Amino acid sequence: KPRTDFNQIGATAGGPIIKDKAFIFGGYQRVFAGFAGSSTSFETPTAAGLSALNTLASGDAVRNILAQFPVATSTIRTISVTNPRTGQTLPVGIGETAALAPSFFNEHDYLANGDLNLTKHQLRFRYIHNRNARPNLSDPPLTQFSGSVAVKVHKFSIGDVWTVNSTTVNDFRAGYTRFQNAFTVPDAFRNFPNVYVTELSIFQVGPDGNSPQNSGQNVYQLTEQMTHSRGAHTLKFGAESRRWIAPGGFLPRDRGEW
């Protein structure tokens, strides 16, 4: 039976700090889930074959790439590889190996509220934070190239309800939202290229081909609303201002492809 683990835990707490005047409330929730991974089989050089490739390599740049090649335990076929600069040709043993792609998800949610009641003002403070992550895998899924797909959200607002008099109430709110989404690769391989070997079946080394990339959004919001009651009529009027700033970074193949 395929693995499916889904777990959810949380807690809340709150109460008055000053009776009938100041209150706080907070909450936390975590969701973590694990699912059945998938296995990918692909061709790769044997230890002897990799040694031959290092002998043929023209420089350290190539050897650094070869150092990330997985190694097959047995030979299923042999190919001839030639260094075009030197003309040297060596046989390279090729075998088959497999890699497991993990599948999991982690999420954290935080909530904090504060209320302060003054003579004519009611102040409201709200904060929400959410972050979640899952693996960002290469194909085939080699462990050293695994990054994450991470989302972070922060929301904060402050409000003031001002009772001007028995017929007029002013409601002011200011809010800020920050959203971040990132497809990361390990720092050690930030400049490592994606290397494809067409002579081998389903073979490449390097992080996810579309990573790293990121996007974000900052939203600033101001709201002012006045309510006035007169006889059988209630008048409402106000204004709202929003500003969006949405930076992002994505350059396809910025690490290079071989």
Side-chain angles (χ1 to χ4, degrees), residues 45-66 69 78-94 197 199 258:
T46 61
L50 195 57
S51 177
L53 291 174
N54 275 286
T55 300
L56 293 170
S58 296
D60 289 338
V62 176
R63 293 187 183 95
N64 288 338
I65 292 173
L66 292 173
F69 278 34
T78 300
I79 62 175
S80 295
V81 178
T82 301
N83 183 325
R85 295 178 61 185
T86 64
Q88 182 181 12
T89 299
L90 291 175
V92 175
I94 302 298
V197 181
E199 288 85 356
W258 291 21

Side-chain angles (χ1 to χ4, degrees), residues 40-46 70-77 93-99 201-202:
T40 301
S41 297
F42 54 96
E43 290 186 328
T44 189
T46 61
V71 179
T73 57
S74 60
T75 302
I76 58 175
R77 65 188 181 98
I94 302 298
E96 192 173 85
T97 190
S201 173
I202 319 177

